[in-house]
């Protein structure tokens, strides 16, 4: 049979055709009125997409560049910072904090779990200057309680900034940066905004801008204050990836178009979409007798992490989906390789994509004779159909 290559990965995610066309057409110089109009429009749209009145800074880098910028712009050598981690991306915060000379306290949970607020409270010190966390830990499919952590910092009257890697959280989970008091919220282009890698963005609170006046870690290319000054004039400090910025504008137009041009409402729809795809996938996996990695209530809608049956390497499923259907799902990252596989729902996924990957998973499971007593064609699909019918009227 013909096999169409399809990504079911939590970044890069499938590309929006309108974004691809916009990239191809973006033959403009970056020191012109045309570019300034585009850049100003995209920065304003990003505020609505993030859901904040704070300024949003756009950087030419993958998501990790914005994570590094948050650390370099907001900390000083010797600062005591707290990282909440339960996966590969949380560990990246630890590495970044150490690279910039911070004293890094870590509150961690095993892969597949999240930390309790009591543990965060116990780890928070009077001299903690910043708390770093993921909204959703893409390596395990687990959502952290960002709102709870924000409330805890307020209740403790902590002076620590709250810095959230929402690179797979934006567009898949409801976040209210301003109301909760999040200081930095980070996103990346190859995730919910349905375009290629290469751009990252950060929404930055007034408290965080104030911190930059005294923070001492070195920064040059990723100097957020310099970018903010230039952005006020419709420009970036250095040559920006113009084509990617055009693509981002097209994607944000598309998301707004889902709700009659209202980008904030469109973002809510995008989150609901991911949640429905995720709920269908979870129901299907469980109906087939597969176990989910994330605890109930803390599943990330960005991606569903599914455990293979005992004694089976998840690579069997990952490779089966690829060779039989050209469907790309991700295995576990690092030491989780072989012990789980992840199906993404972040960005440009719909009902048909979700039904298709569940059908393909059934085919691979039956062909590989996975040791699942409940395994039977259609069981996963029926469960997913019911979830869809219940959620989408
Ligand atoms: C994708 C991702 C990142 C960024 O990774 P890059 O490869 O630098 O884009 C960071 N955090 C999370 C949670 C992610 O999913």
């Amino acid at each position: 049979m013909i096999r169409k290559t399809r990504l079911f990965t939590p970044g890069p995610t499938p590309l929006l055709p309108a974004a691809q066309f916009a990239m191809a057409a973006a033959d403009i110089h970056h020191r012109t009125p045309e570019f300034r109009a585009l850049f100003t429009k995209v920065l304003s749209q990003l505020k609505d997409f993030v859901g904040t009145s704070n300024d949003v800074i756009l950087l030419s880098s993958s998501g990790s560049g914005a994570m590094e910028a948050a650390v370099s712009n907001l900390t000083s050598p010797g600062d005591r910072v707290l990282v909440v981690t339960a996966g590969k991306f949380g560990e990246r915060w630890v590495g970044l904090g150490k690279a910039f000379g911070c004293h890094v306290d870590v509150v961690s949970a095993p892969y597949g779990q999240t930390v309790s607020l009591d543990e965060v409270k116990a780890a928070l010190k009077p001299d903690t200057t910043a708390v770093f966390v993921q909204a959703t830990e893409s390596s395990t499919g687990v959502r952290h309680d960002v709102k709870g952590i924000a409330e805890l910092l307020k209740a403790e009257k902590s002076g620590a900034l709250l810095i959230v890697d929402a690179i797979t959280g934006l567009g898949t989970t409801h976040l209210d940066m301003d109301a909760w008091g999040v200081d930095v919220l980070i996103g990346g282009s190859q995730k919910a905004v349905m375009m290629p890698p290469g751009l990252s963005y950060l929404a930055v609170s007034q408290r965080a801008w104030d911190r930059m006046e005294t923070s001492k870690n070195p920064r040059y290319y990723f100097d957020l204050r310099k970018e903010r000054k230039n952005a006020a004039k419709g420009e970036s400090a250095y040559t920006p990836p113009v084509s990617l910025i055009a693509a981002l504008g097209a994607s944000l137009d598309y998301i707004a178009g889902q709700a009659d041009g209202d980008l904030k409402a469109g973002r809510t729809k995008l989150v609901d979409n991911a949640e429905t795809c995720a709920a269908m996938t979870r129901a299907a996996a469980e109906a087939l007798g597969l176990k989910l990695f994330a605890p109930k209530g803390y599943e990330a809608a960005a991606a569903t992490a599914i455990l293979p049956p005992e004694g089976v390497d998840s690579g069997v499923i990952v490779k089966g989906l690829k060779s039989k259907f050209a469907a790309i799902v991700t295995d576990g990252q690092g030491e989780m390789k072989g012990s789980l596989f992840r199906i993404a729902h972040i960005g440009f996924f719909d009902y048909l994509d979700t039904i298709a990957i569940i059908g393909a998973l059934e085919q691979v499971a039956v062909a590989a004779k996975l040791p699942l007593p409940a395994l039977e064609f259609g069981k996963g699909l029926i469960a997913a159909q019911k979830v869809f019918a219940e959620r989408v009227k």
Side-chain angles (χ1 to χ4, degrees):
M1 283 206 75
I2 282 182
R3 302 172 317 141
K4 296 189 194 176
T5 299
R6 289 179 175 86
L7 296 183
F8 288 92
T9 47
T13 61
L15 299 177
L16 180 75
Q20 292 176 279
F21 296 139
M23 284 180 75
D27 187 14
I28 48 179
H29 192 273
H30 60 288
R31 305 290 181 215
T32 59
E34 289 88 337
F35 178 77
R36 285 192 282 273
L38 170 69
F39 197 53
T40 304
K41 175 195 145 204
V42 168
L43 289 178
S44 149
Q45 284 179 308
L46 269 179
K47 284 174 138 189
D48 286 340
F49 180 67
V50 172
T52 182
S53 60
N54 291 316
D55 281 347
V56 178
I57 302 300
L58 199 51
L59 298 176
S60 311
S61 74
S62 77
S64 303
M67 293 171 72
E68 173 157 334
V71 174
S72 66
N73 281 261
L74 293 167
T75 66
S76 303
D79 271 7
R80 179 164 210 160
V81 303
L82 177 62
V83 173
V84 175
T85 174
K88 289 287 149 197
F89 291 101
E91 290 161 17
R92 192 164 298 177
W93 279 134
V94 176
L96 279 164
K98 288 185 176 162
F100 283 89
C102 296
H103 172 98
V104 183
D105 292 323
V106 177
V107 54
S108 64
Y111 295 158
Q113 302 290 316
T114 183
V115 301
S116 74
L117 292 176
D118 285 341
E119 290 169 304
V120 179
K121 187 173 168 179
L124 189 68
K125 303 290 179 241
D127 56 343
T128 304
T129 65
V131 175
F132 296 90
V133 66
Q134 270 61 40
T136 53
E137 174 52 73
S138 319
S139 67
T140 62
V142 173
R143 187 176 57 77
H144 291 308
D145 182 5
V146 172
K147 187 178 185 203
I149 295 171
E151 282 167 356
L152 174 70
L153 292 180
K154 271 191 191 157
E156 296 293 304
K157 298 197 169 44
S158 168
L161 298 174
L162 177 56
I163 297 158
V164 179
D165 163 4
I167 294 173
T168 53
L170 278 162
T172 65
T173 183
H174 294 288
L175 298 163
D176 195 343
M177 174 178 196
D178 299 359
W180 298 355
V182 172
D183 292 292
V184 177
L185 202 69
I186 300 173
S189 59
Q190 79 276 31
K191 311 277 173 146
V193 287
M194 317 172 191
M195 48 173 291
L199 286 178
S200 62
Y201 51 95
L202 311 85
V204 182
S205 76
Q206 188 54 49
R207 252 171 34 122
W209 290 117
D210 292 346
R211 177 72 60 86
M212 283 179 233
E213 303 293 333
T214 54
S215 58
K216 297 207 168 43
N217 258 320
R219 67 207 81 137
Y220 189 89
Y221 186 73
F222 291 137
D223 185 334
L224 297 178
R225 287 191 299 166
K226 188 161 57 187
E227 288 298 345
R228 187 192 201 192
K229 256 189 213 145
N230 281 277
K233 295 178 282 179
E235 295 197 1
S236 56
Y238 310 102
T239 311
V242 175
S243 55
L244 290 178
I245 293 167
L248 180 54
S251 286
L252 295 171
D253 285 346
Y254 172 82
I255 295 166
Q258 299 301 306
D260 300 322
D262 179 346
L263 188 48
K264 285 183 192 166
R267 175 189 52 145
T268 302
K269 282 202 158 179
L270 189 65
V271 173
D272 293 344
N273 181 74
E275 284 182 340
T276 296
C277 295
M280 289 169 70
T281 305
R282 290 196 299 267
E286 290 192 306
L288 292 169
L290 291 162
K291 291 203 169 66
L292 304 173
F293 198 36
K296 277 248 166 334
Y298 292 91
E299 304 100 334
T304 299
I306 302 171
L307 304 177
E310 213 149 302
V312 177
D313 189 301
S314 51
V316 170
I317 297 163
V318 175
K319 286 187 196 126
L321 285 167
K322 179 157 191 246
S323 62
K324 221 174 181 142
F325 300 107
I328 314 298
V329 305
T330 35
D331 206 318
Q333 254 168 283
E335 54 269 50
M336 288 175 273
K337 191 168 163 54
S339 63
L340 61 92
F341 63 102
R342 293 169 294 155
I343 298 174
H345 324 290
I346 174 171
F348 199 39
F349 291 102
D350 69 358
Y351 165 83
L352 288 175
D353 296 322
T354 308
I355 285 294
I357 191 68
I358 293 166
L361 178 61
E362 290 186 351
Q363 288 288 347
V364 167
V366 168
K369 298 196 175 61
L370 292 188
L372 297 168
L375 182 60
E376 201 180 301
F377 279 136
K379 273 206 168 161
L381 288 166
I382 289 169
Q385 294 281 31
K386 287 182 179 162
V387 168
F388 179 85
E390 226 163 75
R391 294 178 68 107
V392 183
K393 304 285 178 200

